[in-house]
Amino acid sequence: MAALCKVVSSLRTGACFNCVTANSSLFIRKSFYCSDSSAPPGGTEAAAPPAAERPKSGFAAAFELQSDLRRREERSAGRSGSSAGEQQSFASLLRRSPLVQMGPAKDKVVVGKIFHVTQDDLYIDFGGKFHCVCARPAAGGEKFQRGGRVRLRLEDLELTGRFLGAGTDTTLLEAQAALLGPLDGPGPGRDPKAKETQT
Amino acid sequence: MAARVLTKGLWGLRNSRFVTVRHQYATAASIKSPQIQMDSNAMEKMLNQPLQTPDFFRLSELYSLKDLFDARVHLGHKKGCRHRLMGPYLFGCRLEQDIIDLDQTMELLQAALNFTAHVAYRGGIILFVSRRRQFGHLVECTAQDCGEYAHTRYWQGGLLTNAPIQYGPGVRLPDLVIFLSTLNNVFQQHVAIRDAAKMNIPTVGVVDSNCNPSLVTYPVPGNDDTPAAVELYCRLFKMTINRAKDKRKQMELLHGLSAASTPSS
């Protein structure tokens, strides 16, 4: 799901062909539901008499080729399995997951969602195994309510420690992160590698 | 006088339940109100038919690898928390975090759900156990929704092993215990795993990378700490049990009608 959002956002920001972009992004969202309904928009584009048109070159040609390939891939995936993810192995799903792509968790900026509030403690889930608990900041604390999205700087995915005389680590069943602030609209200060939460 | 006769009658009823408990699991409701009369042939056929196919209840269509992955079932604890017996179930260790092998989990989950479905089909009593306070309410609601039982509070020592004395003679023990988390909060294993093994009660349990899978009959290696994963398990077990019970009603009608149509001598 996170990979899907990234692809869609990159399409939006990268392409300057507005109508084609809208069609492709709509297609990618709808591909799981109706892979055939998108054939007409793709078809009408390609159905224009190729002989009469000037052969496209450069970016235009490459973009058409790529979107054509992607369309064909989505169509075949829609026919064979219920979703494109069905055929992926666990190893490839793991390798492409945001958690693994992120690397070491130290000092990474992620987006989390508050799922519980207890007076001044915010319980935030950022897509890892555990949630983290942050104190509500003194300034602007009213913005942080249940369901709100916040930016975090991760320190550890799981707080564990080996004590003297113990056979295994003792774990606190919590992650540790520092609260950076609420998730405002896209701004200049936002880390482009921020990981979206799994929905 | 009447009371003595009543207790004698009840004792006789309980005895008969104990005798037939091996052949036919009967719920209390069905004993009180006999539904469809069928002869032993039809009953045997009805009970043996699900055993002919490997996936009679078609449980593999309830979940997929992607669903398990999205619910973060593959995430384990840190390397230092690992139980040595969970080694074979792990895919590997990434940056000191254990990753559970979802290919193995898929197969083991299928086996566990299939067993649960068969137990529910035969009218067995299922007990959900979890001592995670975060998911206590969820587990209790799941049990209520599928008409089974849950125990998410403090486990008294003799609940299974000393039941006739603690709860009265002739109490019926669960036929399957499902653990949504096999640990107590103090990182001791839940007492019910050992007790169920002592009482010959099969167990299904979600074992995380810091749990001991040895005494669990059908271990399902997976994450037991994330709410998304536990909600997935609860949903799967609920759907399995409901599906099995519906199938049982369907088969009873089917075989009951066919038995009634052929005149029995």
Side-chain angles (χ1 to χ4, degrees):
Chain A
M1 195 62 195
L4 207 61
C5 296
K6 275 193 184 159
V7 161
V8 170
S9 58
S10 69
L11 265 182
R12 273 210 208 103
T13 53
C16 36
F17 300 96
N18 289 330
C19 55
V20 178
T21 313
N23 274 344
S24 318
S25 63
L26 270 177
F27 178 85
I28 286 169
R29 275 215 192 97
K30 278 190 187 162
S31 68
F32 298 146
Y33 303 107
C34 43
S35 51
D36 291 330
S37 67
S38 57
T44 47
E45 276 182 356
E53 278 208 359
R54 203 159 35 92
K56 293 191 177 170
S57 63
F59 179 76
F63 188 83
E64 270 215 9
L65 178 68
Q66 289 302 317
S67 42
D68 232 357
L69 286 172
R70 195 171 284 158
R71 238 172 264 145
R72 265 190 234 126
E73 188 192 289
E74 299 276 7
R75 209 174 297 151
S76 64
R79 257 191 243 118
S80 54
S82 57
S83 70
E86 281 294 340
Q87 295 149 3
Q88 287 184 23
S89 69
F90 168 58
S92 68
L93 274 177
L94 183 70
R95 189 160 41 96
R96 296 192 176 115
S97 68
L99 190 71
V100 167
Q101 294 291 320
M102 178 177 79
K106 190 96 178 87
D107 295 332
K108 292 286 190 313
V109 177
V110 298
V111 172
K113 187 169 158 200
I114 303 174
F115 68 93
H116 190 252
V117 174
T118 314
Q119 289 178 357
D120 273 343
D121 293 327
L122 309 168
Y123 290 73
I124 303 163
D125 173 31
F126 54 87
K129 182 167 161 91
F130 297 106
H131 58 271
C132 65
V133 185
C134 298
R136 195 197 291 261
E142 294 77 28
K143 277 184 276 181
F144 300 103
Q145 300 300 336
R146 196 164 167 267
R149 302 181 76 183
V150 294
R151 277 167 50 234
L152 303 165
R153 189 177 53 241
L154 291 182
E155 268 140 63
D156 203 350
L157 285 179
E158 184 181 351
L159 290 170
T160 58
R162 178 72 61 104
F163 289 90
L164 279 178
T168 54
D169 281 7
T170 306
T171 151
L172 278 181
L173 303 180
E174 261 181 36
Q176 188 164 16
L179 191 61
L180 294 178
L183 186 71
D184 295 321
R190 194 172 155 201
D191 192 334
K193 280 196 184 159
K195 186 182 97 164
E196 298 285 333
T197 50
Q198 300 273 359
T199 48
Chain B
M1 182 64 181
R4 214 178 298 156
V5 168
L6 195 63
T7 47
K8 263 197 181 167
L10 278 176
W11 185 250
L13 188 63
R14 269 194 231 115
N15 266 341
S16 66
R17 273 174 67 187
F18 276 145
V19 162
T20 58
V21 77
R22 268 188 229 112
H23 306 298
Q24 176 196 348
Y25 291 107
T27 58
S30 70
I31 283 178
K32 278 177 203 151
S33 59
Q35 286 152 349
I36 295 168
Q37 304 294 329
M38 60 174 80
D39 55 346
S40 58
N41 271 344
M43 176 65 76
E44 213 176 291
K45 202 167 142 194
M46 190 180 74
L47 289 179
N48 286 336
Q49 193 172 350
L51 301 175
Q52 310 298 329
T53 40
D55 195 8
F56 182 73
F57 302 98
R58 285 182 321 191
L59 300 164
S60 46
E61 62 191 36
L62 286 179
Y63 65 99
S64 67
L65 186 75
K66 192 85 172 60
D67 292 336
L68 294 185
F69 193 86
D70 289 336
R72 310 178 221 166
V73 166
H74 60 291
L75 297 177
H77 286 268
K78 284 272 162 98
K79 191 162 104 177
C81 300
R82 191 194 304 171
H83 196 281
R84 63 181 179 89
L85 293 173
M86 285 300 290
Y89 298 122
L90 296 180
F91 183 73
C93 187
R94 156 99 181 164
L95 293 167
E96 289 196 9
Q97 183 177 27
D98 287 335
I99 307 287
I100 294 169
D101 191 355
L102 281 192
D103 296 323
Q104 290 187 51
T105 302
M106 289 276 285
E107 293 163 8
L108 291 168
L109 184 61
Q110 169 70 27
L113 289 177
N114 194 31
F115 184 74
T116 312
H118 280 272
V119 169
Y121 179 84
R122 288 162 178 258
I125 290 183
I126 297 176
L127 183 68
F128 287 88
V129 172
S130 167
R131 197 56 179 118
R132 289 295 299 261
R133 288 168 176 91
Q134 193 179 1
F135 309 121
H137 181 71
L138 174 66
V139 170
E140 288 179 348
C141 287
T142 307
Q144 198 173 32
D145 288 340
C146 52
E148 296 296 341
Y149 305 85
H151 187 101
T152 56
R153 308 298 161 105
Y154 175 72
W155 182 274
Q156 281 194 315
L159 208 148
L160 290 179
T161 45
N162 206 17
I165 298 174
Q166 281 188 351
Y167 298 102
V171 68
R172 188 174 157 189
L173 292 179
D175 301 302
L176 172 67
V177 182
I178 299 181
F179 289 92
L180 274 309
S181 166
T182 55
L183 293 179
N184 262 338
N185 287 331
V186 290
F187 306 109
Q188 291 168 353
Q189 200 184 34
H190 203 292
V191 175
I193 294 182
R194 197 195 62 198
D195 283 355
K198 278 186 190 172
M199 302 302 293
N200 278 342
I201 299 172
T203 44
V204 164
V206 175
V207 283
D208 205 345
S209 66
N210 59 347
C211 303
N212 184 358
S214 27
L215 281 180
V216 181
T217 324
Y218 290 91
V220 178
N223 188 2
D224 63 2
D225 298 301
T226 311
V230 177
E231 276 165 19
L232 175 82
Y233 300 135
C234 286
R235 189 170 53 87
L236 285 178
F237 282 119
K238 183 168 62 173
M239 283 163 76
T240 312
I241 293 171
N242 283 334
R243 211 180 247 213
K245 287 183 173 173
D246 291 340
K247 195 79 186 176
R248 170 68 184 231
K249 279 192 206 119
Q250 198 185 2
M251 299 286 269
E252 268 177 358
L253 284 172
L254 203 68
H255 286 267
L257 284 172
S258 68
S261 62
T262 57
S264 53
S265 56

